[in-house]
Amino acid sequence: MDVPHESAEPGDAPPSTLPETPLTRFLRAVLWGAAILPLAGFIAASWWAWRHADDGVRDTLVRTSDVAARHALRVFESSRLIGEKSLAFLGIPDDQVRANEAALRVRLQDTSIGIPGVRSISVWDAQGHHLVGTGFPVGSGDVSIADRNYFQQMKATQAPLVIGDIVLGRASGMPALSIAVRRTMPDGSFGGAVVIALQPAVFEEFYRSISLEEAGVSTFNLFKADGTLLTRWPVLPDGRARLPDDSPVLAAVRRGEHSGVLSFRSAFDGMLRTVSFQQVHDLPVYVSSSLRNDAVLADWKRFVMLLAAITLPVTIGLVSVAWLALRKTQLEQRMAIEFNAEARKRALAEKALLQSQKLEALAQLTGGVAHDFNNLLAIVNSNLHVVKKLRPDVAEMKQIGAISRAVGSGARLTRQLLSFSRRQALKPERVDLATWLPAVAELLKATLGSSVALSLEVAPEVPPIRVDVGELELALINLASNARDAMPGGGRLTIEASREPAGDGEPERVLIRATDTGSGIDPALLGKVLEPFFTTKPASKGSGLGLSQVQGFCVQAGGSVEVRSEPGQGTSILMRLPARPGVPSDTVPASLAEPAAVSGRVLLVDDNAEVVDATAEMLQACGLQVHSVRSAGAALDALAGASQMPDLVFSDVSMPGEMDGIQLAHEIRRRWPALPVVLLTGYAARVHDATEAGFRVLGKPVGAQALLDEFMRATRGR
Ligand SMILES: Nc1ncnc2c1ncn2[C@@H]1O[C@H](COP(=O)(O)OP(=O)(O)OP(=O)(O)O)[C@@H](O)[C@H]1O
Ligand SMILES: [Mg+2]
């Protein structure tokens, strides 16, 4: 867990992906529906149109081939009738026929009156010689059809009707389709044939008229089961006489099919066609009609284009409307989320402001009390010192010792309070952690006790910092005592110091991290531990000011604190302090450290009579002549009228009246530049101004030794 003490709460920024709501889900479904439904409709309609066109084509073809088959049957039936009618008067011997040739020829002509397409009717004897005919002059008995296929077939099979091929007529020289009807003699013997020669045009004309009625039907074939073409419409330019052997229609006929519809590429013109074929009744003759697929396809394509032209704009319109509605809803949703996040942020900021105001008020209150309390302690301390000096016999009394210890504890407590309220009078000085930390190790070990081990790790080249050494020491002692309390069963406290390089707009800093292996802090309490007076310890053990001092110290030194903790694992407190690489070291002459007997004159300025008296007595006890006054004005008067100038002026900073200690120091520096002034305060206000102006400042309560050190430093070299 990683919680900086200025931690922001989650949910500050609006999320980048919006959550789905029932409304957005519905609108998304509408959007998909608006796209998919018309598309599905379009596909279904196109498919239906294709099926419809295909069915239509098949129906048309089946109908036309049926019509053509009926027509062919009618023509063949008429020819058979003509044949049978003729045979009614031709059942006489051949020589009688020849004898009555002219009369019979006329009768033959009469039988075909009104029947279209009949070119000629002729009668032939059993050997195929001509007997009588409408297309031949009388006496053409030497003309023979014995070589014709249909005659040979009839003679061989004795079939009552044989349909011949298209051949050029013997008499006319024109192409004709011969229908041969068997001539049976009265004794039942084969007597030759009556042959009706039909003009192919009788079929061609009929097919042409159907194709005019049935749009798209473009070809008709009349063919025999063996593939011989009898008629084709339109007439083939190459005059082909047979269907190709690999024709699918012929294959179906050979398989014994009487009718059917097929689709294939035509061998005649190379086009993809749909063909319907049908047998002419039970004759070995078939008709077929066909249609070019591309014509059907073109019609279907036109329909699909039209459909697309209607569907597309409608779909685009629907999708756009649904999309706009979805966008608008999402926009509103985003705005609502942003608004909520903004409101949450504002609430958080307000809470933080309230908290800081609360702390500030608390700091002011504590600071004020601590300051006054400090003055009281100063009085007790000074008087204690004087008593010890004047009455060495009572100095060893255990009650005096108790008072001394109590004053020491009181001083430490006020120091914590002043640190947290950031009103501590500081003595910032350069600290090199590489040498300073090991020096305080003993102190920390004493705080930790024997069951907790201490590790110090100072990274090489940690830059120096400039802080109040006493405060830094106190902060580490506070961290050590917290660590000790968190590890009742023992453990390890590691204090590391390292350099944090300068970041974006951030100055270079030194990180002091104290990590223990203790109980850790409950995540719910992490945000509170820095608050003053927050403690989880019993009243006798903790006042809740330790971490407040650490924070107060760091902030006053220009740094910050961060608390990281993992319950059960341990706690890390990170103090970040500004690095001060350029600061020179403050060297303290050795002589000052030792207490010495001194002599000289001091002017003491303080508005608090008891503080003045106690301090004066303490200094006098050390061998100094002390003149004390109660205000800055009185001090200036005393100096102006002095016969012998003092060696040093000690002045309180905050004093009522027109002039405070800092102004007094300025005035003295102006009028008596050689006279040193040292300011005393328990209060941080304006200490900065005083140190900036180059005056020495001591924090209250200040002991006798500190005052003497300061006197000796000021008068050194005189
Ligand atoms: N290292 C630590 N491990 C576990 N908990 C800690 C640690 N440091 C601080 N805490 C928790 O934070 C609280 C506040 O600490 P803080 O030092 O401010 O006060 P305190 O130790 O309770 O009292 P004081 O330091 O004034 O004697 C502690 O009571 C403790 O619950
Ligand atoms: Mg503590």
Side-chain angles (χ1 to χ4, degrees):
M1 167 152 298
D2 185 336
V3 176
H5 72 282
E6 310 92 338
S7 79
E9 285 188 18
D12 287 3
S16 52
T17 51
L18 291 173
E20 278 286 2
T21 63
L23 182 61
T24 52
R25 251 197 301 277
F26 170 73
L27 287 175
R28 210 180 287 283
V30 170
L31 180 61
W32 280 107
I36 289 171
L37 287 183
L39 185 72
F42 174 76
I43 292 172
S46 305
W47 183 80
W48 175 84
W50 175 250
R51 297 285 325 162
H52 185 73
D54 195 47
D55 288 351
V57 164
R58 281 163 185 271
D59 285 354
T60 306
L61 286 177
V62 168
R63 196 170 55 243
T64 48
S65 56
D66 188 52
V67 169
R70 283 168 198 275
H71 171 259
L73 181 63
R74 229 178 16 253
V75 171
F76 294 141
E77 276 298 307
S78 325
S79 302
R80 195 175 56 80
L81 280 175
I82 291 171
E84 279 170 5
K85 240 192 212 169
S86 314
L87 285 176
F89 53 85
L90 287 170
I92 48 175
D94 293 347
D95 45 357
Q96 285 187 26
V97 175
R98 282 200 182 91
N100 298 300
E101 190 181 349
L104 287 174
R105 192 169 182 265
V106 176
R107 287 192 71 176
L108 273 181
Q109 256 162 354
D110 290 347
T111 55
S112 65
I113 285 173
I115 297 175
V118 178
R119 176 162 290 149
S120 66
I121 305 165
S122 49
V123 186
W124 309 80
D125 67 12
Q127 284 71 45
H129 294 295
H130 185 258
L131 288 175
V132 57
T134 59
F136 293 85
V138 175
S140 303
D142 50 344
V143 181
S144 167
I145 57 164
D147 58 334
R148 298 285 200 211
N149 276 349
Y150 59 85
F151 185 77
Q152 288 169 359
Q153 187 187 341
M154 176 163 274
K155 197 172 174 182
T157 63
Q158 303 285 304
L161 183 97
V162 173
I163 297 166
D165 304 338
I166 297 259
V167 286
L168 296 182
R170 285 272 145 84
S172 62
M174 303 279 282
L177 172 60
S178 310
I179 312 292
V181 178
R182 187 172 184 271
R183 177 168 172 245
T184 309
M185 299 312 286
D187 59 355
S189 62
F190 174 64
V194 179
V195 175
I196 300 98
L198 296 174
Q199 295 172 3
V202 74
F203 295 103
E204 290 164 10
E205 277 304 311
F206 183 72
Y207 298 155
R208 195 174 65 81
S209 71
I210 307 180
S211 79
L212 287 179
E213 275 167 34
E214 299 283 3
V217 180
S218 51
T219 65
F220 289 88
N221 285 336
L222 180 69
F223 60 95
K224 297 207 322 200
D226 63 359
T228 312
L229 262 179
L230 299 181
T231 308
R232 183 181 154 93
W233 187 88
V235 179
L236 284 175
D238 61 0
R240 217 182 284 208
R242 289 186 59 78
L243 288 181
D245 272 345
D246 57 353
S247 158
V249 174
L250 206 52
V253 167
R254 282 186 193 132
R255 279 195 304 273
E257 292 175 24
H258 303 291
S259 65
V261 180
L262 304 166
S263 245
F264 57 92
R265 196 169 289 284
S266 160
F268 291 137
D269 54 11
M271 304 303 293
L272 209 59
R273 288 180 178 275
T274 302
V275 180
S276 167
F277 70 93
Q278 189 165 333
Q279 189 176 7
V280 180
H281 195 54
D282 54 356
L283 298 174
V285 178
Y286 295 78
V287 282
S288 73
S289 60
S290 85
L291 211 143
R292 267 169 68 161
N293 283 7
D294 57 0
V296 188
L297 204 66
D299 278 351
W300 178 76
K301 272 186 189 160
R302 256 194 304 282
F303 170 77
V304 169
M305 297 295 272
L306 184 71
L307 196 65
I310 296 166
T311 319
L312 206 64
V314 172
T315 309
I316 290 174
L318 283 177
V319 168
S320 307
V321 168
W323 185 78
L324 278 178
L326 183 65
R327 280 298 310 226
K328 194 158 175 281
T329 310
Q330 283 179 332
L331 208 69
E332 279 168 7
Q333 212 181 341
R334 192 181 295 278
M335 273 163 65
I337 289 174
E338 277 173 5
F339 178 79
N340 285 345
E342 199 58 41
R344 207 161 34 238
K345 240 176 159 165
R346 206 172 315 128
L348 276 178
E350 270 165 20
K351 203 169 130 195
L353 182 67
L354 272 180
Q355 175 74 353
S356 76
Q357 281 173 349
K358 190 178 92 186
L359 285 183
E360 193 53 40
L362 201 60
Q364 263 184 12
L365 184 69
T366 335
V369 172
H371 179 252
D372 291 346
F373 192 67
N374 224 7
N375 277 346
L376 298 179
L377 280 180
I379 294 161
V380 176
N381 199 27
S382 304
N383 283 307
L384 200 62
H385 193 79
V386 172
V387 169
K388 279 186 187 167
K389 264 276 194 256
L390 297 181
R391 298 282 306 278
D393 54 319
V394 299
E396 298 305 320
M397 280 176 70
K398 89 171 186 290
Q399 287 83 354
I400 295 290
I403 296 173
S404 200
R405 280 195 301 280
V407 169
S409 301
R412 272 197 300 282
L413 189 61
T414 53
R415 198 168 152 191
Q416 303 260 49
L417 289 172
L418 287 168
S419 282
F420 138 65
S421 60
R422 281 176 262 124
R423 282 168 172 77
Q424 178 74 300
L426 296 178
K427 274 191 292 181
E429 55 190 282
R430 173 187 159 121
V431 176
D432 282 306
L433 291 169
T435 51
W436 185 84
L437 266 183
V440 293
E442 280 313 311
L443 192 66
L444 298 176
K445 276 182 190 156
T447 311
L448 287 170
S450 55
S451 63
V452 177
L454 174 72
S455 305
L456 290 182
E457 291 169 19
V458 184
E461 296 175 6
V462 171
I465 49 176
R466 195 170 141 77
V467 295
D468 187 308
V469 177
E471 288 292 306
L472 177 58
E473 196 178 281
L474 185 59
L476 289 178
I477 288 173
N478 279 324
L479 296 184
S481 79
N482 283 349
R484 178 200 61 212
D485 293 346
M487 299 184 281
R492 174 173 292 276
L493 172 68
T494 309
I495 299 181
E496 300 152 278
S498 57
R499 191 173 76 95
E500 264 198 350
D504 245 6
E506 292 264 312
E508 188 185 25
R509 297 203 283 187
V510 172
L511 172 67
I512 303 175
R513 176 203 290 256
T515 308
D516 64 46
T517 55
S519 56
I521 301 172
D522 185 341
L525 301 180
L526 256 189
K528 294 191 167 166
V529 293
L530 293 173
E531 283 183 13
F533 308 115
F534 175 82
T535 181
T536 57
K537 298 170 189 171
S540 57
K541 240 188 146 189
S543 56
L545 285 173
L547 289 181
S548 308
Q549 183 275 333
V550 175
Q551 189 187 21
F553 157 68
C554 289
V555 172
Q556 206 171 357
S560 63
V561 181
E562 185 185 328
V563 183
R564 296 179 184 176
S565 184
E566 192 73 57
Q569 302 288 309
T571 304
S572 267
I573 312 285
L574 292 85
M575 300 196 284
R576 292 190 171 85
L577 300 165
R580 295 285 160 75
V583 174
S585 58
D586 318 54
T587 45
V588 181
S591 63
L592 286 186
E594 293 154 22
V598 288
S599 64
R601 282 176 300 280
V602 169
L603 175 63
L604 191 58
V605 193
D606 199 315
D607 60 315
N608 186 317
E610 280 180 89
V611 172
V612 166
D613 292 348
T615 315
E617 275 187 58
M618 189 167 69
L619 291 174
Q620 277 159 358
C622 293
L624 291 171
Q625 292 176 32
V626 181
H627 178 63
S628 47
V629 292
R630 301 277 296 281
S631 70
L636 290 176
D637 292 344
L639 287 174
S643 55
Q644 253 193 325
M645 288 298 275
D647 297 303
L648 177 68
V649 178
F650 279 120
S651 171
D652 191 18
V653 172
S654 29
M655 289 183 292
E658 293 192 347
M659 229 183 229
D660 65 7
I662 296 172
Q663 286 164 319
L664 172 66
H666 276 295
E667 186 62 19
I668 291 174
R669 182 183 281 177
R670 194 180 63 77
R671 287 166 64 176
W672 302 280
L675 179 56
V677 180
V678 174
L679 297 167
L680 305 175
T681 182
Y683 213 60
R686 297 187 60 208
V687 161
H688 182 70
D689 299 347
T691 34
E692 283 291 283
F695 298 116
R696 295 283 301 174
V697 187
L698 291 183
K700 281 183 178 180
V702 56
Q705 189 58 57
L707 288 175
L708 282 185
D709 285 352
E710 211 51 48
F711 179 80
M712 285 165 70
R713 179 204 289 269
T715 57
R716 195 160 24 107
R718 285 196 160 208

